[in-house]
Amino acid sequence: MTDPGGRPAPARLGPPPVRGAPDHLAQLLVALGFDHAAVVPGTPATELQDALAEVGATVVDVGNERSAAEHAFGRSAAGRPGLVVVKGVGAWVAAEPVLNMVVHGIGAPILVVVGDDVAALHSTVPTDFRPFGPIASAPVVEVASGAGGRRAIEEAVTASHALSRPVILRWAGPIPDVGVMDRGVPAPTWRVIDPLVAHRWTKRSRHERAVFGWEDAASTMWSPPEPTSLTGGFGVIAAGAPADLAAAHAPDLPLLPLGLVHPLPAAVRSFVDRLDAVVVLEEGLPMIEDAVRLIAADRRNPVDVFGRRSGHLSAGLMLDRDEVELLLSGRPGSGRRREVPLSIAHGPAKPTEFDTVLEALRRVVDRTGIPVHTCVGSCVAAGYEPYGFTSTALELGAPIAVANGSAAADGEAAIALIGDYGLLNFALGDHDQVYRTGAPVLTVVLANGSSDKTGGQPTACSTGVSGGDTVELVRVLTRVADPARVVVWRVDDLDPDSAAEVIDRSLGELPSTLVFTARREMVARVAE
């Protein structure tokens, strides 16, 4: 096989999203006993979270992914399956508890379900959570469409219980359609956590028990479908949507569709042993390809492996459909990689209810040069035209800590621009720290009672917490802060000139906090 060359623009792999696919996956999870999910909203995971609620599961937004994993572990310890549903970039926040679960051991099965955004369509960076599996010594299963996808998920539940560790379920792009359940699933009896499990051995022995030897056991638990044929000189190993593409475009090629992608099923070695060359198709980093290369290199007669590492596929995390079709057809080409454009400008910000505040901040920054640090929630609009005044935009909830670090570095004033969702779920401790240290930071909060970037889910400002009273922002923001320095304004009462005057006054006595709200019922104390 040779490099096909002639790369056109990339296109999304696999079939278009199927209406009902989120519901089908949700129904399968509930049928398997996962009727309670700890979640953090974020595309592309939000769609499954909503579907779980629609099919009758209890869905709890716990605010951050670490807490979600801990919540699921608590259920597992009590003998009930634990389910975490998050997006790829946030899943890494759950790393510490998941690492500890593997070494500690669990009770009932735990599934960490991750929607990866490999094209960064709804994220600041492309995401691929699969490499965490080798780090954590946890199985990773690629959720695929059809009966193969259903079987892989069922096997993941069995493996989680048998191996006493969480299993990562992952998909990239549209939610795969696993189809409608055609049979009932008997309700199993899961174990509760052994009270002595975390104390019976030393830390070293617990780690050794958890890390060594499990891959051999896991690799035999999954049974991929038999290859379609072995009539060609080369075959295809694929996971997720790329397997559908390979089956449709090259039905005569031997195809091994994978559910388990770490560790690779034992069937991969026998498949590779019967071929002269293998194409590896996956969306994300070349994790499967690297593992197949190790298997191929272990043979007496080397097997050629084609994929990203060989230069036959472009380096982007989302596969190029036309590029894959050329590779499967074996057409000759120039051997040149497709150039990746590096200067695509973001479009203008969409109108928001806080445009008055953003325009006022733009004027203040143009006049003073004070750096503004924001995040990738709804406040990220401040970095786009017609505003474009922000200095940084890190992850959700980061601006106050970033502004504090900036102010500490040079002693100069900094502004943190944050939404109420990011503030309440991630940054209250950072806000306290600003006032404890007296840092010259102005915190500007845009509060509308919803998380606009993840689907408009209500925040604690508008619904309360666990059935309690609605959170009053001023109360939580003045745990450490001088109440006179935390002021609330309704945006309807301001125009850009008056809002700029409000910001200038607060900059005169730092630290200080301005809350701009678009809803009257959220105002705890309105400034005169």
Side-chain angles (χ1 to χ4, degrees), residues 7 27 56 81 84 86 131 188 211 222 236 259 261 276 299 323 334 342 364 383 394 465 483 506 512 516 528:
R7 315 301 200 259
Q27 289 165 357
V84 179
V86 293
V211 170
W222 270 264
V236 181
V261 297
D276 298 320
R299 281 188 33 163
E323 191 176 63
S334 64
L342 300 177
V364 170
L394 207 58
V465 179
S506 293
S512 60
F516 293 99
E528 296 297 331

mmCIF file with all atom_site columns, all heavy atoms in Angstrom, residues 7 27 56 81 84 86 131 188 211 222 236 259 261 276 299 323 334 342 364 383 394 465 483 506 512 516 528:
data_model
loop_
_atom_site.group_PDB
_atom_site.id
_atom_site.type_symbol
_atom_site.label_atom_id
_atom_site.label_alt_id
_atom_site.label_comp_id
_atom_site.label_asym_id
_atom_site.label_entity_id
_atom_site.label_seq_id
_atom_site.pdbx_PDB_ins_code
_atom_site.Cartn_x
_atom_site.Cartn_y
_atom_site.Cartn_z
_atom_site.occupancy
_atom_site.B_iso_or_equiv
_atom_site.pdbx_formal_charge
_atom_site.auth_seq_id
_atom_site.auth_comp_id
_atom_site.auth_asym_id
_atom_site.auth_atom_id
_atom_site.pdbx_PDB_model_num
ATOM 1   N N   . ARG A 1 7   ? -5.009  15.263  -0.391 1.00 0.00 ? 7   ARG A N   1
ATOM 2   C CA  . ARG A 1 7   ? -5.964  15.363  0.711  1.00 0.00 ? 7   ARG A CA  1
ATOM 3   C C   . ARG A 1 7   ? -6.978  16.484  0.491  1.00 0.00 ? 7   ARG A C   1
ATOM 4   O O   . ARG A 1 7   ? -6.599  17.637  0.399  1.00 0.00 ? 7   ARG A O   1
ATOM 5   C CB  . ARG A 1 7   ? -5.263  15.651  2.043  1.00 0.00 ? 7   ARG A CB  1
ATOM 6   C CG  . ARG A 1 7   ? -4.015  14.818  2.340  1.00 0.00 ? 7   ARG A CG  1
ATOM 7   C CD  . ARG A 1 7   ? -4.336  13.328  2.365  1.00 0.00 ? 7   ARG A CD  1
ATOM 8   N NE  . ARG A 1 7   ? -3.324  12.602  3.066  1.00 0.00 ? 7   ARG A NE  1
ATOM 9   C CZ  . ARG A 1 7   ? -2.354  11.920  2.477  1.00 0.00 ? 7   ARG A CZ  1
ATOM 10  N NH1 . ARG A 1 7   ? -2.271  11.905  1.182  1.00 0.00 ? 7   ARG A NH1 1
ATOM 11  N NH2 . ARG A 1 7   ? -1.464  11.279  3.183  1.00 0.00 ? 7   ARG A NH2 1
ATOM 12  N N   . GLN A 1 27  ? -31.176 4.165   27.555 1.00 0.00 ? 27  GLN A N   1
ATOM 13  C CA  . GLN A 1 27  ? -32.012 3.015   27.915 1.00 0.00 ? 27  GLN A CA  1
ATOM 14  C C   . GLN A 1 27  ? -31.165 1.801   28.228 1.00 0.00 ? 27  GLN A C   1
ATOM 15  O O   . GLN A 1 27  ? -31.463 1.041   29.160 1.00 0.00 ? 27  GLN A O   1
ATOM 16  C CB  . GLN A 1 27  ? -32.990 2.720   26.777 1.00 0.00 ? 27  GLN A CB  1
ATOM 17  C CG  . GLN A 1 27  ? -34.092 3.755   26.628 1.00 0.00 ? 27  GLN A CG  1
ATOM 18  C CD  . GLN A 1 27  ? -34.826 3.642   25.301 1.00 0.00 ? 27  GLN A CD  1
ATOM 19  O OE1 . GLN A 1 27  ? -34.476 2.811   24.457 1.00 0.00 ? 27  GLN A OE1 1
ATOM 20  N NE2 . GLN A 1 27  ? -35.840 4.475   25.109 1.00 0.00 ? 27  GLN A NE2 1
ATOM 21  N N   . GLY A 1 56  ? -35.879 8.210   32.660 1.00 0.00 ? 56  GLY A N   1
ATOM 22  C CA  . GLY A 1 56  ? -36.211 7.891   34.040 1.00 0.00 ? 56  GLY A CA  1
ATOM 23  C C   . GLY A 1 56  ? -35.068 7.770   35.017 1.00 0.00 ? 56  GLY A C   1
ATOM 24  O O   . GLY A 1 56  ? -35.292 7.479   36.196 1.00 0.00 ? 56  GLY A O   1
ATOM 25  N N   . PRO A 1 81  ? -24.588 0.448   41.356 1.00 0.00 ? 81  PRO A N   1
ATOM 26  C CA  . PRO A 1 81  ? -23.705 0.868   40.256 1.00 0.00 ? 81  PRO A CA  1
ATOM 27  C C   . PRO A 1 81  ? -23.506 2.376   40.222 1.00 0.00 ? 81  PRO A C   1
ATOM 28  O O   . PRO A 1 81  ? -24.446 3.150   40.467 1.00 0.00 ? 81  PRO A O   1
ATOM 29  C CB  . PRO A 1 81  ? -24.454 0.391   39.007 1.00 0.00 ? 81  PRO A CB  1
ATOM 30  C CG  . PRO A 1 81  ? -25.307 -0.734  39.485 1.00 0.00 ? 81  PRO A CG  1
ATOM 31  C CD  . PRO A 1 81  ? -25.727 -0.349  40.872 1.00 0.00 ? 81  PRO A CD  1
ATOM 32  N N   . VAL A 1 84  ? -20.735 7.968   35.868 1.00 0.00 ? 84  VAL A N   1
ATOM 33  C CA  . VAL A 1 84  ? -20.241 9.326   35.679 1.00 0.00 ? 84  VAL A CA  1
ATOM 34  C C   . VAL A 1 84  ? -20.369 9.645   34.193 1.00 0.00 ? 84  VAL A C   1
ATOM 35  O O   . VAL A 1 84  ? -19.953 8.844   33.357 1.00 0.00 ? 84  VAL A O   1
ATOM 36  C CB  . VAL A 1 84  ? -18.766 9.455   36.112 1.00 0.00 ? 84  VAL A CB  1
ATOM 37  C CG1 . VAL A 1 84  ? -18.252 10.870  35.893 1.00 0.00 ? 84  VAL A CG1 1
ATOM 38  C CG2 . VAL A 1 84  ? -18.595 9.038   37.565 1.00 0.00 ? 84  VAL A CG2 1
ATOM 39  N N   . VAL A 1 86  ? -19.434 12.763  31.600 1.00 0.00 ? 86  VAL A N   1
ATOM 40  C CA  . VAL A 1 86  ? -18.768 14.057  31.459 1.00 0.00 ? 86  VAL A CA  1
ATOM 41  C C   . VAL A 1 86  ? -18.180 14.166  30.058 1.00 0.00 ? 86  VAL A C   1
ATOM 42  O O   . VAL A 1 86  ? -18.120 13.196  29.309 1.00 0.00 ? 86  VAL A O   1
ATOM 43  C CB  . VAL A 1 86  ? -17.647 14.230  32.508 1.00 0.00 ? 86  VAL A CB  1
ATOM 44  C CG1 . VAL A 1 86  ? -18.211 14.310  33.912 1.00 0.00 ? 86  VAL A CG1 1
ATOM 45  C CG2 . VAL A 1 86  ? -16.636 13.076  32.422 1.00 0.00 ? 86  VAL A CG2 1
ATOM 46  N N   . PRO A 1 131 ? -6.023  7.840   26.547 1.00 0.00 ? 131 PRO A N   1
ATOM 47  C CA  . PRO A 1 131 ? -4.705  7.578   27.139 1.00 0.00 ? 131 PRO A CA  1
ATOM 48  C C   . PRO A 1 131 ? -4.694  7.549   28.669 1.00 0.00 ? 131 PRO A C   1
ATOM 49  O O   . PRO A 1 131 ? -3.715  7.091   29.263 1.00 0.00 ? 131 PRO A O   1
ATOM 50  C CB  . PRO A 1 131 ? -3.842  8.739   26.608 1.00 0.00 ? 131 PRO A CB  1
ATOM 51  C CG  . PRO A 1 131 ? -4.483  9.116   25.320 1.00 0.00 ? 131 PRO A CG  1
ATOM 52  C CD  . PRO A 1 131 ? -5.957  8.955   25.576 1.00 0.00 ? 131 PRO A CD  1
ATOM 53  N N   . PRO A 1 188 ? -28.724 -7.924  38.573 1.00 0.00 ? 188 PRO A N   1
ATOM 54  C CA  . PRO A 1 188 ? -27.735 -8.690  39.343 1.00 0.00 ? 188 PRO A CA  1
ATOM 55  C C   . PRO A 1 188 ? -27.642 -8.184  40.781 1.00 0.00 ? 188 PRO A C   1
ATOM 56  O O   . PRO A 1 188 ? -28.168 -7.135  41.135 1.00 0.00 ? 188 PRO A O   1
ATOM 57  C CB  . PRO A 1 188 ? -26.435 -8.412  38.588 1.00 0.00 ? 188 PRO A CB  1
ATOM 58  C CG  . PRO A 1 188 ? -26.642 -7.035  38.030 1.00 0.00 ? 188 PRO A CG  1
ATOM 59  C CD  . PRO A 1 188 ? -28.116 -6.904  37.731 1.00 0.00 ? 188 PRO A CD  1
ATOM 60  N N   . VAL A 1 211 ? -2.177  -3.033  39.617 1.00 0.00 ? 211 VAL A N   1
ATOM 61  C CA  . VAL A 1 211 ? -1.539  -2.597  38.371 1.00 0.00 ? 211 VAL A CA  1
ATOM 62  C C   . VAL A 1 211 ? -0.992  -3.758  37.549 1.00 0.00 ? 211 VAL A C   1
ATOM 63  O O   . VAL A 1 211 ? -1.045  -3.726  36.321 1.00 0.00 ? 211 VAL A O   1
ATOM 64  C CB  . VAL A 1 211 ? -0.422  -1.583  38.689 1.00 0.00 ? 211 VAL A CB  1
ATOM 65  C CG1 . VAL A 1 211 ? 0.402   -1.294  37.453 1.00 0.00 ? 211 VAL A CG1 1
ATOM 66  C CG2 . VAL A 1 211 ? -1.032  -0.302  39.237 1.00 0.00 ? 211 VAL A CG2 1
ATOM 67  N N   . TRP A 1 222 ? -13.210 -9.582  26.364 1.00 0.00 ? 222 TRP A N   1
ATOM 68  C CA  . TRP A 1 222 ? -13.942 -9.021  25.230 1.00 0.00 ? 222 TRP A CA  1
ATOM 69  C C   . TRP A 1 222 ? -13.833 -9.950  24.033 1.00 0.00 ? 222 TRP A C   1
ATOM 70  O O   . TRP A 1 222 ? -12.762 -10.489 23.750 1.00 0.00 ? 222 TRP A O   1
ATOM 71  C CB  . TRP A 1 222 ? -13.393 -7.642  24.870 1.00 0.00 ? 222 TRP A CB  1
ATOM 72  C CG  . TRP A 1 222 ? -14.079 -6.543  25.611 1.00 0.00 ? 222 TRP A CG  1
ATOM 73  C CD1 . TRP A 1 222 ? -15.125 -5.768  25.175 1.00 0.00 ? 222 TRP A CD1 1
ATOM 74  C CD2 . TRP A 1 222 ? -13.774 -6.081  26.923 1.00 0.00 ? 222 TRP A CD2 1
ATOM 75  N NE1 . TRP A 1 222 ? -15.484 -4.860  26.138 1.00 0.00 ? 222 TRP A NE1 1
ATOM 76  C CE2 . TRP A 1 222 ? -14.672 -5.026  27.223 1.00 0.00 ? 222 TRP A CE2 1
ATOM 77  C CE3 . TRP A 1 222 ? -12.848 -6.452  27.889 1.00 0.00 ? 222 TRP A CE3 1
ATOM 78  C CZ2 . TRP A 1 222 ? -14.665 -4.341  28.427 1.00 0.00 ? 222 TRP A CZ2 1
ATOM 79  C CZ3 . TRP A 1 222 ? -12.840 -5.769  29.088 1.00 0.00 ? 222 TRP A CZ3 1
ATOM 80  C CH2 . TRP A 1 222 ? -13.733 -4.732  29.346 1.00 0.00 ? 222 TRP A CH2 1
ATOM 81  N N   . VAL A 1 236 ? -8.065  -4.236  8.303  1.00 0.00 ? 236 VAL A N   1
ATOM 82  C CA  . VAL A 1 236 ? -8.358  -2.981  8.989  1.00 0.00 ? 236 VAL A CA  1
ATOM 83  C C   . VAL A 1 236 ? -8.719  -3.280  10.436 1.00 0.00 ? 236 VAL A C   1
ATOM 84  O O   . VAL A 1 236 ? -9.534  -4.169  10.717 1.00 0.00 ? 236 VAL A O   1
ATOM 85  C CB  . VAL A 1 236 ? -9.525  -2.232  8.310  1.00 0.00 ? 236 VAL A CB  1
ATOM 86  C CG1 . VAL A 1 236 ? -9.801  -0.920  9.027  1.00 0.00 ? 236 VAL A CG1 1
ATOM 87  C CG2 . VAL A 1 236 ? -9.219  -1.996  6.842  1.00 0.00 ? 236 VAL A CG2 1
ATOM 88  N N   . GLY A 1 259 ? -14.209 -2.979  20.496 1.00 0.00 ? 259 GLY A N   1
ATOM 89  C CA  . GLY A 1 259 ? -14.890 -2.307  21.588 1.00 0.00 ? 259 GLY A CA  1
ATOM 90  C C   . GLY A 1 259 ? -13.850 -1.918  22.619 1.00 0.00 ? 259 GLY A C   1
ATOM 91  O O   . GLY A 1 259 ? -13.613 -0.753  22.894 1.00 0.00 ? 259 GLY A O   1
ATOM 92  N N   . VAL A 1 261 ? -10.392 -0.961  23.741 1.00 0.00 ? 261 VAL A N   1
ATOM 93  C CA  . VAL A 1 261 ? -9.226  -0.388  23.069 1.00 0.00 ? 261 VAL A CA  1
ATOM 94  C C   . VAL A 1 261 ? -8.018  -0.296  23.992 1.00 0.00 ? 261 VAL A C   1
ATOM 95  O O   . VAL A 1 261 ? -6.917  -0.001  23.544 1.00 0.00 ? 261 VAL A O   1
ATOM 96  C CB  . VAL A 1 261 ? -9.557  0.999   22.477 1.00 0.00 ? 261 VAL A CB  1
ATOM 97  C CG1 . VAL A 1 261 ? -10.639 0.870   21.419 1.00 0.00 ? 261 VAL A CG1 1
ATOM 98  C CG2 . VAL A 1 261 ? -9.965  1.998   23.551 1.00 0.00 ? 261 VAL A CG2 1
ATOM 99  N N   . ASP A 1 276 ? -0.448  -9.282  6.128  1.00 0.00 ? 276 ASP A N   1
ATOM 100 C CA  . ASP A 1 276 ? 0.833   -8.688  5.771  1.00 0.00 ? 276 ASP A CA  1
ATOM 101 C C   . ASP A 1 276 ? 0.878   -7.200  6.082  1.00 0.00 ? 276 ASP A C   1
ATOM 102 O O   . ASP A 1 276 ? 1.954   -6.615  6.218  1.00 0.00 ? 276 ASP A O   1
ATOM 103 C CB  . ASP A 1 276 ? 1.120   -8.887  4.280  1.00 0.00 ? 276 ASP A CB  1
ATOM 104 C CG  . ASP A 1 276 ? 1.226   -10.356 3.913  1.00 0.00 ? 276 ASP A CG  1
ATOM 105 O OD1 . ASP A 1 276 ? 1.821   -11.112 4.700  1.00 0.00 ? 276 ASP A OD1 1
ATOM 106 O OD2 . ASP A 1 276 ? 0.691   -10.736 2.855  1.00 0.00 ? 276 ASP A OD2 1
ATOM 107 N N   . ARG A 1 299 ? 6.456   -9.946  15.646 1.00 0.00 ? 299 ARG A N   1
ATOM 108 C CA  . ARG A 1 299 ? 6.367   -11.077 14.716 1.00 0.00 ? 299 ARG A CA  1
ATOM 109 C C   . ARG A 1 299 ? 7.702   -11.335 14.027 1.00 0.00 ? 299 ARG A C   1
ATOM 110 O O   . ARG A 1 299 ? 8.493   -10.422 13.796 1.00 0.00 ? 299 ARG A O   1
ATOM 111 C CB  . ARG A 1 299 ? 5.303   -10.789 13.653 1.00 0.00 ? 299 ARG A CB  1
ATOM 112 C CG  . ARG A 1 299 ? 3.893   -11.020 14.133 1.00 0.00 ? 299 ARG A CG  1
ATOM 113 C CD  . ARG A 1 299 ? 2.920   -10.918 12.998 1.00 0.00 ? 299 ARG A CD  1
ATOM 114 N NE  . ARG A 1 299 ? 3.474   -11.395 11.723 1.00 0.00 ? 299 ARG A NE  1
ATOM 115 C CZ  . ARG A 1 299 ? 2.739   -11.709 10.677 1.00 0.00 ? 299 ARG A CZ  1
ATOM 116 N NH1 . ARG A 1 299 ? 1.437   -11.595 10.737 1.00 0.00 ? 299 ARG A NH1 1
ATOM 117 N NH2 . ARG A 1 299 ? 3.288   -12.117 9.551  1.00 0.00 ? 299 ARG A NH2 1
ATOM 118 N N   . GLU A 1 323 ? -9.675  11.033  3.028  1.00 0.00 ? 323 GLU A N   1
ATOM 119 C CA  . GLU A 1 323 ? -8.320  10.529  3.183  1.00 0.00 ? 323 GLU A CA  1
ATOM 120 C C   . GLU A 1 323 ? -8.338  9.038   3.525  1.00 0.00 ? 323 GLU A C   1
ATOM 121 O O   . GLU A 1 323 ? -7.550  8.242   2.991  1.00 0.00 ? 323 GLU A O   1
ATOM 122 C CB  . GLU A 1 323 ? -7.645  11.328  4.295  1.00 0.00 ? 323 GLU A CB  1
ATOM 123 C CG  . GLU A 1 323 ? -6.163  11.143  4.448  1.00 0.00 ? 323 GLU A CG  1
ATOM 124 C CD  . GLU A 1 323 ? -5.635  12.079  5.519  1.00 0.00 ? 323 GLU A CD  1
ATOM 125 O OE1 . GLU A 1 323 ? -6.032  11.948  6.691  1.00 0.00 ? 323 GLU A OE1 1
ATOM 126 O OE2 . GLU A 1 323 ? -4.833  12.949  5.171  1.00 0.00 ? 323 GLU A OE2 1
ATOM 127 N N   . SER A 1 334 ? 1.028   11.418  -3.756 1.00 0.00 ? 334 SER A N   1
ATOM 128 C CA  . SER A 1 334 ? 2.278   12.175  -3.740 1.00 0.00 ? 334 SER A CA  1
ATOM 129 C C   . SER A 1 334 ? 3.076   11.973  -2.471 1.00 0.00 ? 334 SER A C   1
ATOM 130 O O   . SER A 1 334 ? 4.236   12.347  -2.411 1.00 0.00 ? 334 SER A O   1
ATOM 131 C CB  . SER A 1 334 ? 1.960   13.668  -3.897 1.00 0.00 ? 334 SER A CB  1
ATOM 132 O OG  . SER A 1 334 ? 1.214   14.120  -2.775 1.00 0.00 ? 334 SER A OG  1
ATOM 133 N N   . LEU A 1 342 ? -3.443  27.349  10.195 1.00 0.00 ? 342 LEU A N   1
ATOM 134 C CA  . LEU A 1 342 ? -3.118  27.816  11.542 1.00 0.00 ? 342 LEU A CA  1
ATOM 135 C C   . LEU A 1 342 ? -3.649  29.209  11.823 1.00 0.00 ? 342 LEU A C   1
ATOM 136 O O   . LEU A 1 342 ? -3.336  29.778  12.861 1.00 0.00 ? 342 LEU A O   1
ATOM 137 C CB  . LEU A 1 342 ? -1.593  27.802  11.737 1.00 0.00 ? 342 LEU A CB  1
ATOM 138 C CG  . LEU A 1 342 ? -0.917  26.437  11.584 1.00 0.00 ? 342 LEU A CG  1
ATOM 139 C CD1 . LEU A 1 342 ? 0.588   26.586  11.725 1.00 0.00 ? 342 LEU A CD1 1
ATOM 140 C CD2 . LEU A 1 342 ? -1.453  25.456  12.631 1.00 0.00 ? 342 LEU A CD2 1
ATOM 141 N N   . VAL A 1 364 ? -13.120 50.597  29.349 1.00 0.00 ? 364 VAL A N   1
ATOM 142 C CA  . VAL A 1 364 ? -12.220 50.736  30.500 1.00 0.00 ? 364 VAL A CA  1
ATOM 143 C C   . VAL A 1 364 ? -10.843 50.173  30.164 1.00 0.00 ? 364 VAL A C   1
ATOM 144 O O   . VAL A 1 364 ? -9.804  50.780  30.464 1.00 0.00 ? 364 VAL A O   1
ATOM 145 C CB  . VAL A 1 364 ? -12.818 50.038  31.737 1.00 0.00 ? 364 VAL A CB  1
ATOM 146 C CG1 . VAL A 1 364 ? -11.788 49.971  32.865 1.00 0.00 ? 364 VAL A CG1 1
ATOM 147 C CG2 . VAL A 1 364 ? -14.076 50.751  32.203 1.00 0.00 ? 364 VAL A CG2 1
ATOM 148 N N   . GLY A 1 383 ? -13.716 37.939  24.414 1.00 0.00 ? 383 GLY A N   1
ATOM 149 C CA  . GLY A 1 383 ? -12.497 37.837  23.621 1.00 0.00 ? 383 GLY A CA  1
ATOM 150 C C   . GLY A 1 383 ? -12.724 37.948  22.130 1.00 0.00 ? 383 GLY A C   1
ATOM 151 O O   . GLY A 1 383 ? -11.764 38.019  21.367 1.00 0.00 ? 383 GLY A O   1
ATOM 152 N N   . LEU A 1 394 ? -8.802  30.780  30.109 1.00 0.00 ? 394 LEU A N   1
ATOM 153 C CA  . LEU A 1 394 ? -8.440  29.403  30.428 1.00 0.00 ? 394 LEU A CA  1
ATOM 154 C C   . LEU A 1 394 ? -9.732  28.605  30.652 1.00 0.00 ? 394 LEU A C   1
ATOM 155 O O   . LEU A 1 394 ? -10.782 28.955  30.151 1.00 0.00 ? 394 LEU A O   1
ATOM 156 C CB  . LEU A 1 394 ? -7.537  29.392  31.658 1.00 0.00 ? 394 LEU A CB  1
ATOM 157 C CG  . LEU A 1 394 ? -6.560  28.226  31.790 1.00 0.00 ? 394 LEU A CG  1
ATOM 158 C CD1 . LEU A 1 394 ? -5.636  28.140  30.586 1.00 0.00 ? 394 LEU A CD1 1
ATOM 159 C CD2 . LEU A 1 394 ? -5.747  28.333  33.071 1.00 0.00 ? 394 LEU A CD2 1
ATOM 160 N N   . VAL A 1 465 ? -29.678 24.525  46.098 1.00 0.00 ? 465 VAL A N   1
ATOM 161 C CA  . VAL A 1 465 ? -28.776 23.385  46.100 1.00 0.00 ? 465 VAL A CA  1
ATOM 162 C C   . VAL A 1 465 ? -29.426 22.252  46.872 1.00 0.00 ? 465 VAL A C   1
ATOM 163 O O   . VAL A 1 465 ? -29.803 22.407  48.030 1.00 0.00 ? 465 VAL A O   1
ATOM 164 C CB  . VAL A 1 465 ? -27.423 23.747  46.752 1.00 0.00 ? 465 VAL A CB  1
ATOM 165 C CG1 . VAL A 1 465 ? -26.490 22.543  46.770 1.00 0.00 ? 465 VAL A CG1 1
ATOM 166 C CG2 . VAL A 1 465 ? -26.771 24.909  46.015 1.00 0.00 ? 465 VAL A CG2 1
ATOM 167 N N   . PRO A 1 483 ? -18.432 43.449  52.939 1.00 0.00 ? 483 PRO A N   1
ATOM 168 C CA  . PRO A 1 483 ? -19.698 43.564  52.203 1.00 0.00 ? 483 PRO A CA  1
ATOM 169 C C   . PRO A 1 483 ? -19.818 44.848  51.394 1.00 0.00 ? 483 PRO A C   1
ATOM 170 O O   . PRO A 1 483 ? -20.499 44.866  50.357 1.00 0.00 ? 483 PRO A O   1
ATOM 171 C CB  . PRO A 1 483 ? -20.756 43.506  53.311 1.00 0.00 ? 483 PRO A CB  1
ATOM 172 C CG  . PRO A 1 483 ? -20.095 42.734  54.413 1.00 0.00 ? 483 PRO A CG  1
ATOM 173 C CD  . PRO A 1 483 ? -18.643 43.133  54.357 1.00 0.00 ? 483 PRO A CD  1
ATOM 174 N N   . SER A 1 506 ? -15.095 50.927  41.256 1.00 0.00 ? 506 SER A N   1
ATOM 175 C CA  . SER A 1 506 ? -14.629 49.720  41.939 1.00 0.00 ? 506 SER A CA  1
ATOM 176 C C   . SER A 1 506 ? -13.130 49.530  41.787 1.00 0.00 ? 506 SER A C   1
ATOM 177 O O   . SER A 1 506 ? -12.466 49.012  42.691 1.00 0.00 ? 506 SER A O   1
ATOM 178 C CB  . SER A 1 506 ? -15.372 48.496  41.389 1.00 0.00 ? 506 SER A CB  1
ATOM 179 O OG  . SER A 1 506 ? -16.737 48.534  41.731 1.00 0.00 ? 506 SER A OG  1
ATOM 180 N N   . SER A 1 512 ? -12.255 44.305  44.972 1.00 0.00 ? 512 SER A N   1
ATOM 181 C CA  . SER A 1 512 ? -13.685 44.575  44.978 1.00 0.00 ? 512 SER A CA  1
ATOM 182 C C   . SER A 1 512 ? -14.364 43.642  43.995 1.00 0.00 ? 512 SER A C   1
ATOM 183 O O   . SER A 1 512 ? -13.710 43.005  43.167 1.00 0.00 ? 512 SER A O   1
ATOM 184 C CB  . SER A 1 512 ? -13.971 46.038  44.635 1.00 0.00 ? 512 SER A CB  1
ATOM 185 O OG  . SER A 1 512 ? -13.463 46.350  43.359 1.00 0.00 ? 512 SER A OG  1
ATOM 186 N N   . PHE A 1 516 ? -23.164 41.737  38.020 1.00 0.00 ? 516 PHE A N   1
ATOM 187 C CA  . PHE A 1 516 ? -24.158 42.266  37.088 1.00 0.00 ? 516 PHE A CA  1
ATOM 188 C C   . PHE A 1 516 ? -25.162 41.152  36.813 1.00 0.00 ? 516 PHE A C   1
ATOM 189 O O   . PHE A 1 516 ? -24.786 40.071  36.349 1.00 0.00 ? 516 PHE A O   1
ATOM 190 C CB  . PHE A 1 516 ? -23.490 42.714  35.788 1.00 0.00 ? 516 PHE A CB  1
ATOM 191 C CG  . PHE A 1 516 ? -22.588 43.907  35.945 1.00 0.00 ? 516 PHE A CG  1
ATOM 192 C CD1 . PHE A 1 516 ? -21.211 43.742  36.059 1.00 0.00 ? 516 PHE A CD1 1
ATOM 193 C CD2 . PHE A 1 516 ? -23.119 45.182  35.998 1.00 0.00 ? 516 PHE A CD2 1
ATOM 194 C CE1 . PHE A 1 516 ? -20.376 44.841  36.202 1.00 0.00 ? 516 PHE A CE1 1
ATOM 195 C CE2 . PHE A 1 516 ? -22.281 46.293  36.147 1.00 0.00 ? 516 PHE A CE2 1
ATOM 196 C CZ  . PHE A 1 516 ? -20.913 46.124  36.252 1.00 0.00 ? 516 PHE A CZ  1
ATOM 197 N N   . GLU A 1 528 ? -27.005 51.822  45.030 1.00 0.00 ? 528 GLU A N   1
ATOM 198 C CA  . GLU A 1 528 ? -27.690 53.105  44.773 1.00 0.00 ? 528 GLU A CA  1
ATOM 199 C C   . GLU A 1 528 ? -26.983 53.819  43.622 1.00 0.00 ? 528 GLU A C   1
ATOM 200 O O   . GLU A 1 528 ? -25.790 53.692  43.453 1.00 0.00 ? 528 GLU A O   1
ATOM 201 C CB  . GLU A 1 528 ? -27.630 53.971  46.043 1.00 0.00 ? 528 GLU A CB  1
ATOM 202 C CG  . GLU A 1 528 ? -28.394 53.345  47.209 1.00 0.00 ? 528 GLU A CG  1
ATOM 203 C CD  . GLU A 1 528 ? -29.883 53.207  46.928 1.00 0.00 ? 528 GLU A CD  1
ATOM 204 O OE1 . GLU A 1 528 ? -30.414 54.029  46.144 1.00 0.00 ? 528 GLU A OE1 1
ATOM 205 O OE2 . GLU A 1 528 ? -30.505 52.282  47.452 1.00 0.00 ? 528 GLU A OE2 1
#
